[in-house]
Amino acid sequence: MLSKKHLFLLYLLLLPVPGFASDAIPGFFDVDYTLYSNDTKIGEMERRFFQHEDGNFAFVSQRRTTGLISVFRNEKILEESHWRYTETGYRPIRYIYQHTSRKKNRDVEIDFDWPNKRITNRVNDSTWKMKTQPGILDKLLYQLAIMTSLKSGVVPESYTIADGGKIKQYLFEHLDDEVIKTPLGDFKTMKLARHKPGSDQDTFLWCAYDLQYLPVKVSITEKEGRLTTAVIKDLNGLGYSPKAQSN
């Protein structure tokens, strides 16, 4: 049976050529993170960036609780961003969010109708529409856009995001460069702070120079003080080599 790494390499050989987008967007990758609440391991997250046969792209994130905590709080979160890359940059097509748990499920779809300049939001059984804005992204896609901006030498100041049925501004600030220790080795990173006006969350991203600015660590501090952290534990793609990293 082929390993996960071998399957990823086979996929890279079979995928269609992305054309002019290949120099602008990050390379395809499959990355795994360990999730912590304060210092306690609570789950795992996998993210995949790939291309469909029709030439459009997908960025998919799956989170789930693991271990003892999953006995009491069995949760799964799936996010999908389907999009295309145009001469003006990233253009989202559809965003999907599915949160399943014992207490309550949440099912979200956002469709971007660019010819008619309309966004259709659906949350469970409720549906409403709003107008598009130039450069608008979804809640997952902006994380690839950050990698593209940093790769071009630009620290993004803000992104316009379709978030929670509203259009919001995510603001970013370059705080410092830090070396982050991970199970894959030490990475020199650019530390960014993300601010959402009106939100009590503090979010920080550590984007690795040698991995096309892929975040190797992300932390979120909630208003009640709880700290949630994601730390990279495995990676295929982006030129990563365990032997090269250990040297």
Side-chain angles (χ1 to χ4, degrees):
M1 180 180 293
L2 292 174
S3 67
K4 183 177 179 181
K5 181 177 181 179
H6 289 145
L7 288 171
F8 180 79
L9 293 174
L10 179 61
Y11 164 75
L12 290 180
L13 292 173
L14 297 177
L15 58 83
V17 178
F20 70 87
S22 60
D23 293 330
I25 64 177
F28 300 115
F29 60 84
D30 188 337
V31 61
D32 295 326
Y33 296 86
T34 302
L35 303 178
Y36 299 90
S37 179
N38 295 326
D39 294 325
T40 302
K41 179 180 176 181
I42 61 170
E44 297 175 342
M45 177 171 67
E46 178 184 2
R47 289 189 162 177
R48 296 178 58 230
F49 170 36
F50 58 95
Q51 189 174 23
H52 294 296
E53 292 183 358
D54 63 4
N56 292 330
F57 298 91
F59 189 30
V60 178
S61 175
Q62 297 184 74
R63 285 175 278 172
R64 64 185 181 92
T65 51
T66 60
L68 182 61
I69 194 168
S70 64
V71 176
F72 304 97
R73 204 179 86 190
N74 187 11
E75 294 185 0
K76 295 180 181 179
I77 297 177
L78 169 68
E79 284 186 278
E80 298 182 7
S81 176
H82 300 273
W83 50 278
R84 64 175 62 95
Y85 196 87
T86 71
E87 293 180 354
T88 59
Y90 290 92
R91 177 161 285 194
I93 301 171
R94 171 173 287 188
Y95 170 79
I96 296 171
Y97 176 94
Q98 296 174 348
H99 184 178
T100 58
S101 67
R102 290 194 178 100
K103 292 184 178 180
K104 189 177 181 180
N105 296 335
R106 183 176 175 84
D107 188 8
V108 177
E109 285 188 8
I110 303 176
D111 289 306
F112 296 81
D113 182 355
W114 291 98
N116 294 306
K117 299 181 180 180
R118 182 171 59 209
I119 299 173
T120 301
N121 299 272
R122 183 184 65 79
V123 178
N124 295 336
D125 296 327
S126 300
T127 302
W128 65 98
K129 302 181 187 298
M130 56 190 186
K131 292 183 179 180
T132 59
Q133 291 189 14
I136 194 168
L137 302 173
D138 62 52
K139 290 176 61 177
L140 192 58
L141 181 53
Y142 87 86
Q143 297 172 50
L144 284 180
I146 287 176
M147 295 174 65
T148 295
S149 293
L150 296 180
K151 183 180 176 181
S152 68
V154 177
V155 177
E157 294 183 358
S158 66
Y159 289 112
T160 303
I161 309 294
D163 178 358
K166 299 179 181 179
I167 295 178
K168 302 179 181 180
Q169 293 294 316
Y170 287 13
L171 309 178
F172 293 88
E173 178 185 4
H174 177 202
L175 299 179
D176 202 354
D177 283 4
E178 294 184 7
V179 175
I180 297 297
K181 296 182 179 295
T182 79
L184 300 187
D186 296 351
F187 292 94
K188 182 182 178 182
T189 69
M190 181 182 295
K191 182 180 180 181
L192 302 179
R194 188 198 76 185
H195 308 286
K196 288 197 294 182
S199 172
D200 293 324
Q201 280 188 352
D202 292 322
T203 302
F204 301 95
L205 303 92
W206 287 261
C207 304
Y209 284 92
D210 291 340
L211 299 178
Q212 299 184 36
Y213 298 95
L214 175 76
V216 294
K217 179 180 176 182
V218 178
S219 72
I220 301 174
T221 303
E222 307 286 353
K223 60 182 179 180
E224 66 271 17
R226 184 181 65 187
L227 176 65
T228 301
T229 306
V231 179
I232 194 171
K233 71 170 185 175
D234 195 13
L235 173 65
N236 290 313
L238 299 177
Y240 169 72
S241 169
K243 292 183 179 179
Q245 192 61 31
S246 63
N247 292 334

Short mmCIF file of all heavy atoms in Angstrom, two decimals, residues 146-174:
data_model
loop_
_atom_site.label_atom_id
_atom_site.label_comp_id
_atom_site.label_asym_id
_atom_site.label_seq_id
_atom_site.Cartn_x
_atom_site.Cartn_y
_atom_site.Cartn_z
N ILE A 146 -2.04 35.13 2.45
CA ILE A 146 -0.93 35.62 3.27
C ILE A 146 0.39 35.06 2.76
O ILE A 146 1.38 35.78 2.62
CB ILE A 146 -1.14 35.22 4.75
CG1 ILE A 146 -2.24 36.06 5.38
CG2 ILE A 146 0.16 35.39 5.54
CD1 ILE A 146 -2.56 35.66 6.80
N MET A 147 0.41 33.75 2.46
CA MET A 147 1.63 33.12 1.97
C MET A 147 2.08 33.77 0.67
O MET A 147 3.28 34.01 0.45
CB MET A 147 1.41 31.62 1.80
CG MET A 147 1.14 30.88 3.10
SD MET A 147 0.72 29.13 2.85
CE MET A 147 2.26 28.48 2.15
N THR A 148 1.12 34.06 -0.21
CA THR A 148 1.45 34.71 -1.49
C THR A 148 2.03 36.10 -1.27
O THR A 148 3.03 36.48 -1.89
CB THR A 148 0.20 34.79 -2.37
OG1 THR A 148 -0.21 33.47 -2.72
CG2 THR A 148 0.48 35.56 -3.65
N SER A 149 1.41 36.88 -0.39
CA SER A 149 1.88 38.24 -0.12
C SER A 149 3.29 38.23 0.46
O SER A 149 4.17 38.98 0.02
CB SER A 149 0.93 38.96 0.84
OG SER A 149 -0.32 39.20 0.24
N LEU A 150 3.53 37.38 1.45
CA LEU A 150 4.84 37.33 2.08
C LEU A 150 5.90 36.84 1.09
O LEU A 150 7.05 37.32 1.10
CB LEU A 150 4.81 36.43 3.31
CG LEU A 150 3.91 36.89 4.46
CD1 LEU A 150 3.97 35.91 5.62
CD2 LEU A 150 4.30 38.29 4.92
N LYS A 151 5.52 35.90 0.24
CA LYS A 151 6.44 35.40 -0.78
C LYS A 151 6.88 36.51 -1.73
O LYS A 151 8.02 36.52 -2.21
CB LYS A 151 5.78 34.26 -1.56
CG LYS A 151 6.67 33.60 -2.60
CD LYS A 151 5.91 32.49 -3.31
CE LYS A 151 6.75 31.87 -4.42
NZ LYS A 151 5.99 30.80 -5.14
N SER A 152 5.99 37.46 -1.99
CA SER A 152 6.31 38.58 -2.88
C SER A 152 7.00 39.73 -2.15
O SER A 152 7.30 40.76 -2.75
CB SER A 152 5.04 39.09 -3.56
OG SER A 152 4.17 39.71 -2.61
N GLY A 153 7.24 39.55 -0.85
CA GLY A 153 7.94 40.57 -0.07
C GLY A 153 7.05 41.62 0.55
O GLY A 153 7.53 42.65 1.02
N VAL A 154 5.73 41.37 0.57
CA VAL A 154 4.77 42.34 1.10
C VAL A 154 4.07 41.77 2.33
O VAL A 154 3.49 40.68 2.27
CB VAL A 154 3.72 42.72 0.04
CG1 VAL A 154 2.69 43.68 0.63
CG2 VAL A 154 4.39 43.34 -1.18
N VAL A 155 4.13 42.49 3.44
CA VAL A 155 3.35 42.11 4.63
C VAL A 155 1.95 42.69 4.46
O VAL A 155 1.80 43.91 4.36
CB VAL A 155 3.99 42.64 5.91
CG1 VAL A 155 3.12 42.29 7.12
CG2 VAL A 155 5.39 42.06 6.09
N PRO A 156 0.91 41.85 4.40
CA PRO A 156 -0.45 42.38 4.16
C PRO A 156 -0.91 43.25 5.33
O PRO A 156 -0.68 42.92 6.49
CB PRO A 156 -1.30 41.11 4.04
CG PRO A 156 -0.55 40.07 4.82
CD PRO A 156 0.91 40.39 4.62
N GLU A 157 -1.55 44.36 5.00
CA GLU A 157 -2.11 45.21 6.04
C GLU A 157 -3.52 44.77 6.42
O GLU A 157 -3.91 44.84 7.59
CB GLU A 157 -2.14 46.66 5.58
CG GLU A 157 -0.76 47.27 5.39
CD GLU A 157 -0.83 48.73 5.01
OE1 GLU A 157 -1.95 49.26 4.86
OE2 GLU A 157 0.24 49.37 4.88
N SER A 158 -4.30 44.29 5.43
CA SER A 158 -5.67 43.87 5.71
C SER A 158 -6.19 43.03 4.57
O SER A 158 -5.68 43.09 3.44
CB SER A 158 -6.58 45.08 5.93
OG SER A 158 -6.73 45.82 4.73
N TYR A 159 -7.22 42.23 4.86
CA TYR A 159 -7.98 41.49 3.86
C TYR A 159 -9.47 41.70 4.14
O TYR A 159 -9.88 41.82 5.30
CB TYR A 159 -7.67 39.99 3.90
CG TYR A 159 -6.30 39.62 3.41
CD1 TYR A 159 -5.34 39.13 4.28
CD2 TYR A 159 -5.95 39.76 2.07
CE1 TYR A 159 -4.07 38.79 3.83
CE2 TYR A 159 -4.69 39.42 1.61
CZ TYR A 159 -3.75 38.94 2.50
OH TYR A 159 -2.50 38.61 2.05
N THR A 160 -10.25 41.74 3.07
CA THR A 160 -11.70 41.81 3.19
C THR A 160 -12.24 40.39 3.15
O THR A 160 -11.97 39.65 2.19
CB THR A 160 -12.30 42.64 2.04
OG1 THR A 160 -11.71 43.94 2.05
CG2 THR A 160 -13.82 42.77 2.19
N ILE A 161 -13.01 40.00 4.18
CA ILE A 161 -13.40 38.61 4.37
C ILE A 161 -14.92 38.48 4.49
O ILE A 161 -15.56 39.26 5.21
CB ILE A 161 -12.75 38.01 5.64
CG1 ILE A 161 -11.24 38.25 5.65
CG2 ILE A 161 -13.09 36.53 5.77
CD1 ILE A 161 -10.49 37.53 4.56
N ALA A 162 -15.49 37.49 3.80
CA ALA A 162 -16.89 37.10 4.03
C ALA A 162 -16.90 36.20 5.25
O ALA A 162 -16.44 35.05 5.20
CB ALA A 162 -17.44 36.38 2.81
N ASP A 163 -17.43 36.70 6.36
CA ASP A 163 -17.30 36.03 7.65
C ASP A 163 -18.61 36.17 8.42
O ASP A 163 -19.03 37.29 8.75
CB ASP A 163 -16.14 36.65 8.43
CG ASP A 163 -15.96 36.06 9.83
OD1 ASP A 163 -16.76 35.19 10.23
OD2 ASP A 163 -15.02 36.46 10.52
N GLY A 164 -19.25 35.04 8.71
CA GLY A 164 -20.44 35.06 9.55
C GLY A 164 -21.61 35.81 8.93
O GLY A 164 -22.41 36.42 9.66
N GLY A 165 -21.71 35.77 7.60
CA GLY A 165 -22.80 36.47 6.94
C GLY A 165 -22.59 37.96 6.81
O GLY A 165 -23.50 38.68 6.38
N LYS A 166 -21.41 38.44 7.17
CA LYS A 166 -21.08 39.85 7.05
C LYS A 166 -19.74 40.00 6.32
O LYS A 166 -19.01 39.03 6.14
CB LYS A 166 -20.99 40.50 8.44
CG LYS A 166 -22.28 40.43 9.24
CD LYS A 166 -22.08 41.08 10.60
CE LYS A 166 -23.37 41.01 11.43
NZ LYS A 166 -23.18 41.62 12.77
N ILE A 167 -19.45 41.21 5.91
CA ILE A 167 -18.15 41.51 5.31
C ILE A 167 -17.31 42.23 6.35
O ILE A 167 -17.69 43.27 6.88
CB ILE A 167 -18.32 42.37 4.04
CG1 ILE A 167 -19.07 41.55 2.98
CG2 ILE A 167 -16.96 42.81 3.52
CD1 ILE A 167 -19.34 42.30 1.70
N LYS A 168 -16.16 41.62 6.68
CA LYS A 168 -15.32 42.13 7.75
C LYS A 168 -13.91 42.39 7.25
O LYS A 168 -13.48 41.86 6.22
CB LYS A 168 -15.28 41.14 8.91
CG LYS A 168 -16.65 40.81 9.49
CD LYS A 168 -16.54 39.80 10.63
CE LYS A 168 -17.91 39.45 11.19
NZ LYS A 168 -17.82 38.45 12.29
N GLN A 169 -13.19 43.21 8.00
CA GLN A 169 -11.79 43.47 7.72
C GLN A 169 -10.91 42.73 8.72
O GLN A 169 -11.12 42.85 9.92
CB GLN A 169 -11.49 44.98 7.79
CG GLN A 169 -12.16 45.81 6.72
CD GLN A 169 -11.61 45.50 5.34
OE1 GLN A 169 -10.41 45.37 5.14
NE2 GLN A 169 -12.51 45.39 4.36
N TYR A 170 -9.97 41.96 8.21
CA TYR A 170 -8.95 41.33 9.04
C TYR A 170 -7.69 42.17 8.89
O TYR A 170 -7.19 42.35 7.78
CB TYR A 170 -8.66 39.90 8.61
CG TYR A 170 -9.73 38.88 8.91
CD1 TYR A 170 -11.01 39.24 9.31
CD2 TYR A 170 -9.44 37.51 8.80
CE1 TYR A 170 -11.97 38.28 9.59
CE2 TYR A 170 -10.40 36.55 9.07
CZ TYR A 170 -11.66 36.94 9.46
OH TYR A 170 -12.62 35.98 9.73
N LEU A 171 -7.15 42.66 10.00
CA LEU A 171 -5.97 43.52 9.99
C LEU A 171 -4.75 42.72 10.43
O LEU A 171 -4.84 41.88 11.35
CB LEU A 171 -6.17 44.72 10.91
CG LEU A 171 -7.47 45.51 10.70
CD1 LEU A 171 -7.56 46.64 11.71
CD2 LEU A 171 -7.56 46.04 9.28
N PHE A 172 -3.58 42.99 9.83
CA PHE A 172 -2.37 42.23 10.13
C PHE A 172 -1.22 43.16 10.47
O PHE A 172 -1.13 44.28 9.97
CB PHE A 172 -1.99 41.33 8.94
CG PHE A 172 -2.98 40.24 8.69
CD1 PHE A 172 -4.08 40.46 7.88
CD2 PHE A 172 -2.84 39.01 9.31
CE1 PHE A 172 -5.01 39.46 7.66
CE2 PHE A 172 -3.77 38.01 9.10
CZ PHE A 172 -4.85 38.23 8.28
N GLU A 173 -0.33 42.65 11.32
CA GLU A 173 0.83 43.41 11.77
C GLU A 173 2.02 42.47 11.91
O GLU A 173 1.89 41.39 12.50
CB GLU A 173 0.52 44.09 13.11
CG GLU A 173 1.66 44.87 13.70
CD GLU A 173 1.33 45.41 15.08
OE1 GLU A 173 0.24 45.10 15.60
OE2 GLU A 173 2.18 46.13 15.64
N HIS A 174 3.16 42.86 11.36
CA HIS A 174 4.39 42.10 11.53
C HIS A 174 5.02 42.49 12.86
O HIS A 174 5.42 43.65 13.05
CB HIS A 174 5.35 42.38 10.37
CG HIS A 174 6.67 41.68 10.50
ND1 HIS A 174 7.81 42.10 9.85
CD2 HIS A 174 7.03 40.57 11.20
CE1 HIS A 174 8.81 41.30 10.14
NE2 HIS A 174 8.36 40.36 10.97
#
